[in-house]
């Protein structure tokens, strides 16, 4: 573990939902239909596969969202949930942290981070079927908004659109977004990202590999 945030962004419990009636296996990312899929289990039973159980699955569906839309929605949810749970906090301070520290919460951590955590438990040959947000309705027949979260106001929309320190992570997610409709192993997905945006790949992924490279002395 390189920091405490690693435990938050890459939790040791990883879940894939099996929609029993349709035999679909879905990896659910926050802000990508999570509320709808969660609520649908009440009328359409689901089975949860965790960690090593995931390694037995040959094909998993993953709903991918436009990165700009998701970042705005995720930061908005983070701010409202934090103020709900900690009403004594100052709203402007919470908003500042949300806008400037973009890995504080899984609601707006990159979709790549979510897929990387899934990859820890995937079979190397397992296929990820990347689906658009319209698949949420197809899978669940529902479009549920997060409980107690209101739409972002114009001021927050403008501030999120001006964020610069998250550009490379957004570009990684954009490269993944362009893969919607494809069925890829995680290795193939990484190759697609590298081909689509080599600069972002180097900044995010290769730099992380450089940091971890000295750990050979621990083996």
């Amino acid at each position: 573990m390189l920091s405490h945030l690693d435990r938050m962004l890459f939790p040791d419990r990883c879940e894939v939902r099996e929609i029993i009636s349709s035999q679909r296996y879905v990896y659910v990312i926050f802000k990508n239909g999570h509320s709808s899929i969660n609520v649908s289990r009440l009328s359409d039973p689901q089975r949860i596969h965790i960690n090593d159980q995931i390694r037995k699955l040959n094909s998993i569906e993953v709903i991918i969202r436009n990165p700009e839309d998701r970042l705005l929605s995720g930061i908005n949810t983070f701010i409202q949930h934090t103020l709900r749970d900690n009403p004594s906090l100052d709203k402007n301070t919470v908003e500042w942290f949300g806008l400037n520290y973009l890995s504080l919460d899984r609601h707006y951590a990159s979709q790549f981070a979510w897929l990387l955590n899934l990859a820890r438990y995937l079979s190397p040959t397992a296929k990820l079927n990347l689906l658009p947000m319209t698949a949420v309705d197809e899978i669940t027949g529902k479009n549920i908004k997060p409980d107690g979260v209101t739409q972002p106001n114009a001021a927050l929309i403008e501030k999120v659109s001006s964020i610069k320190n998250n550009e490379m992570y957004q570009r990684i997610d954009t490269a993944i977004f362009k893969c919607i409709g494809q069925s890829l192993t995680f290795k193939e997905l990484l190759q697609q990202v590298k081909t689509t945006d080599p600069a972002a790949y180097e900044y995010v992924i290769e730099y992380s590999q450089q940091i971890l490279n000295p750990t050979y002395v621990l083996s």
Side-chain angles (χ1 to χ4, degrees):
M1 183 173 69
L2 299 180
S3 75
H4 174 66
L5 282 175
D6 295 340
R7 295 286 188 193
M8 297 167 55
L9 300 180
F10 305 102
D12 288 332
R13 181 184 173 93
C14 186
E15 297 183 356
V16 170
R17 307 284 187 95
E18 178 187 354
I19 314 298
I20 295 175
S21 63
S22 58
Q23 288 292 287
R24 302 178 76 154
Y25 297 89
V26 185
Y27 180 58
V28 189
I29 296 174
F30 284 0
K31 309 309 301 180
N32 294 16
H34 179 270
S35 296
S36 296
I37 292 173
N38 212 32
V39 169
S40 72
R41 78 190 191 282
L42 301 175
S43 56
D44 193 355
Q46 300 175 11
R47 182 180 293 116
I48 296 179
H49 299 259
I50 62 169
N51 297 5
D52 289 342
Q53 296 170 351
I54 295 171
R55 230 176 292 279
K56 301 174 184 178
L57 304 179
N58 297 319
S59 179
I60 298 172
E61 295 179 322
V62 186
I63 296 167
I64 300 297
R65 185 172 182 178
N66 177 291
E68 293 180 3
D69 293 344
R70 183 173 177 274
L71 181 64
L72 173 61
S73 180
I75 290 177
N76 183 53
T77 296
F78 164 75
I79 293 169
Q80 294 191 32
H81 280 185
T82 302
L83 292 171
R84 177 198 65 192
D85 298 338
N86 306 274
S88 63
L89 292 178
D90 175 67
K91 179 181 181 297
N92 291 330
T93 301
V94 172
E95 182 180 287
W96 186 88
F97 273 98
L99 293 168
N100 288 278
Y101 291 90
L102 293 163
S103 295
L104 285 179
D105 189 271
R106 297 191 86 204
H107 285 93
Y108 60 99
S110 70
Q111 293 168 98
F112 172 70
W114 278 82
L115 289 169
L116 184 60
N117 201 50
L118 173 62
R120 295 168 60 195
Y121 303 101
L122 277 177
S123 163
T125 60
K127 292 288 187 176
L128 301 174
N129 302 318
L130 304 179
L131 306 177
M133 284 292 290
T134 52
V136 175
D137 187 60
E138 176 192 336
I139 292 169
T140 68
K142 302 179 185 298
N143 185 13
I144 307 297
K145 301 297 183 183
D147 187 37
V149 176
T150 60
Q151 292 296 308
N153 59 37
L156 182 63
I157 293 172
E158 183 176 355
K159 289 174 184 177
V160 171
S161 68
S162 301
I163 292 173
K164 300 298 183 186
N165 62 351
N166 200 38
E167 178 188 355
M168 289 300 187
Y169 298 91
Q170 287 290 89
R171 283 168 57 174
I172 291 284
D173 276 7
T174 298
I176 294 170
F177 184 68
K178 291 178 179 178
C179 293
I180 284 176
Q182 298 187 54
S183 181
L184 305 165
T185 64
F186 186 69
K187 184 176 181 179
E188 290 169 342
L189 177 61
L190 288 182
Q191 186 57 53
Q192 288 269 36
V193 170
K194 186 175 184 178
T195 300
T196 301
D197 195 333
Y201 183 94
E202 179 181 2
Y203 184 91
V204 175
I205 299 171
E206 291 186 353
Y207 183 70
S208 299
Q209 291 172 333
Q210 292 171 22
I211 293 173
L212 291 171
N213 188 51
T215 59
Y216 72 90
V217 299
L218 302 177
S219 60

